[in-house]
């Protein structure tokens, strides 16, 4: 296995590290990691003995075969400026941030690049990850990164023009639907005598069961609704409320995420001086 470097052990960096270790596609000794606050990286080393903790990002750039940049979009340019002189053409540089394209990254580091947008669902080896590759990536590098992604997710290769909406569905989607589930629970408690603990247990297990039905291909979303929604029944009355009140809610959601994305694109483009 290649040496995998992870710069940034925040939420997503940690999710990737722990998911790969639990999937056993990586051993702790395959990993070299660092973080701006080094204590966060040391916590992972303590939990998974064998992981190497580097004192600087430059040290990872010198040693790793694959270099994962797991930092926020507006932090990535300064990070790259500090490590690019250590990066070689036989390495692969991978960003996990959507506002940075592989062509922008490649123009900055002069090495093969990829983008790997994970989801929190990858933590349990589920859900989708989104991949993009620069033209200079060899088939070997593409295959190796695809294997890493496949161990913890169902990887999908995407083009730039659907990056934001794909990320909204895959990466932001769990937060959006968790919010809706919590609102569902709160409404049940406020309008009936059910207590929050019971309502939460019932809702969480309903969602797990729904995921199993979809995951095993027993039903699609439309056929599942048809099976539960008996004509003239109680479910049908609830669906009428959803049809009347959701309206353009999700249209507005995608509009809002794309407006924020446009702001991030503008800031990243200013830093890199290269179009998305």
């Amino acid at each position: 296995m290649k040496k995998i470097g992870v710069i940034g052990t925040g939420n997503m960096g940690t999710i990737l590290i722990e998911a790969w270790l639990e999937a056993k596609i990586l051993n702790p000794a395959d990993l070299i990691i660092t973080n701006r606050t080094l204590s966060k990286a040391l916590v992972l080393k303590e939990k998974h003995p064998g992981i190497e903790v580097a004192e600087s990002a430059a040290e990872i750039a010198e040693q790793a075969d694959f270099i994962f940049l797991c930092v926020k979009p507006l932090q990535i340019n300064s990070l790259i400026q500090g490590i690019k002189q250590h990066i070689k053409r036989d390495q692969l540089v991978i960003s996990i941030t959507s506002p940075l394209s592989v062509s922008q990254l490649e123009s900055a580091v002069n090495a093969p690049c990829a983008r790997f947008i994970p989801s929190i669902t990858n933590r349990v080896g589920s859900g989708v990850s989104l991949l993009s590759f620069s033209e200079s990536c060899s088939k070997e590098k593409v295959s190796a990164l695809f294997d890493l992604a496949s161990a913890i997710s169902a990887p999908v290769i995407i083009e730039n023009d659907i990056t934001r909406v794909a990320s909204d569905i895959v990466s932001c989607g769990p937060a959006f639907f968790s919010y809706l589930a919590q609102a569902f629970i709160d409404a049940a408690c406020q309008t009936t005598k059910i207590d929050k603990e019971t309502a939460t247990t019932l809702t969480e297990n309903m969602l797990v069961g729904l995921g199993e039905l979809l995951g095993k291909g027993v039903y699609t979303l439309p056929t599942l609704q048809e099976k539960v929604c008996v004509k003239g029944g109680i479910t049908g009355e609830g669906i009428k409320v959803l049809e009347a009140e959701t309206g353009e809610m999700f249209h507005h959601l995608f509009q809002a995420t794309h407006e924020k994305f446009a702001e991030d694109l503008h800031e990243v483009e200013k830093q890199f001086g290269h179009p998305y």
Side-chain angles (χ1 to χ4, degrees):
M1 173 55 67
K2 296 179 181 297
K3 193 74 170 179
I4 306 299
V6 178
I7 302 173
T9 56
N11 288 339
M12 281 304 172
T14 297
I15 282 170
L16 288 175
I17 290 165
E18 296 201 316
W20 284 326
L21 292 174
E22 286 192 13
K24 299 190 185 305
I25 193 169
L26 294 180
N27 296 312
D30 297 322
L31 285 157
I32 178 170
I33 69 174
T34 195
N35 193 70
R36 187 169 54 179
T37 305
L38 206 58
S39 59
K40 290 185 177 180
L42 291 169
V43 167
L44 279 169
K45 178 179 175 63
E46 185 177 344
K47 188 175 179 181
H48 305 284
I51 289 179
E52 181 180 352
V53 174
E55 293 190 2
S56 69
E59 190 178 336
I60 287 182
E62 289 174 346
Q63 295 186 41
D65 298 299
F66 283 10
I67 304 167
F68 281 84
L69 309 179
C70 301
V71 299
K72 294 176 182 178
L74 299 186
Q75 296 173 344
I76 202 162
N77 186 49
S78 61
L79 169 61
I80 288 170
Q81 296 309 312
I83 66 172
K84 65 181 183 180
Q85 66 268 33
H86 303 284
I87 295 172
K88 300 172 285 295
R89 291 291 301 174
D90 61 347
Q91 294 171 298
L92 180 64
V93 182
I94 305 134
S95 165
I96 68 164
T97 185
S98 60
L100 181 67
S101 70
V102 289
S103 63
Q104 285 174 315
L105 184 57
E106 188 173 45
S107 71
V109 301
N110 194 32
C113 295
R115 185 169 56 196
F116 183 133
I117 300 174
S119 166
I120 195 169
T121 57
N122 300 164
R123 179 62 183 81
V124 290
S126 186
V128 174
S129 60
L130 305 172
L131 301 181
S132 302
F133 298 93
S134 69
E135 291 183 3
S136 63
C137 279
S138 65
K139 289 183 179 179
E140 179 191 19
K141 286 184 171 64
V142 170
S143 179
L145 185 58
F146 207 86
D147 287 345
L148 277 174
S150 297
I152 60 172
S153 66
V156 175
I157 297 176
I158 61 166
E159 299 296 333
N160 266 354
D161 57 357
I162 65 162
T163 297
R164 184 62 259 151
V165 66
S167 299
D168 287 342
I169 295 169
V170 166
S171 196
C172 302
F176 295 152
F177 283 90
S178 293
Y179 179 89
L180 292 175
Q182 191 60 58
F184 185 65
I185 291 166
D186 292 343
C189 295
Q190 291 162 11
T191 57
T192 75
K193 293 182 178 180
I194 197 168
D195 63 273
K196 192 163 187 176
E197 183 179 356
T198 302
T200 299
T201 298
L202 296 179
T203 301
E204 288 177 349
N205 281 282
M206 176 273 293
L207 291 171
V208 170
L210 173 61
E212 289 287 328
L213 285 172
L214 296 172
K216 293 179 179 179
V218 177
Y219 298 117
T220 63
L221 285 172
T223 58
L224 190 147
Q225 185 178 320
E226 289 173 7
K227 291 291 182 182
V228 179
C229 189
V230 179
K231 188 176 181 179
I234 289 174
T235 307
E237 292 303 306
I239 293 292
K240 286 180 185 178
V241 174
L242 292 175
E243 289 174 340
E245 298 196 15
T246 53
E248 295 191 348
M249 177 181 72
F250 285 115
H251 295 77
H252 296 156
L253 181 151
F254 287 117
Q255 288 166 4
T257 59
H258 278 66
E259 286 172 7
K260 179 61 172 69
F261 186 56
E263 293 174 8
D264 290 346
L265 286 180
H266 179 66
E267 290 301 319
V268 169
E269 200 165 300
K270 280 199 303 184
Q271 290 185 5
F272 283 83
H274 186 286
Y276 185 73

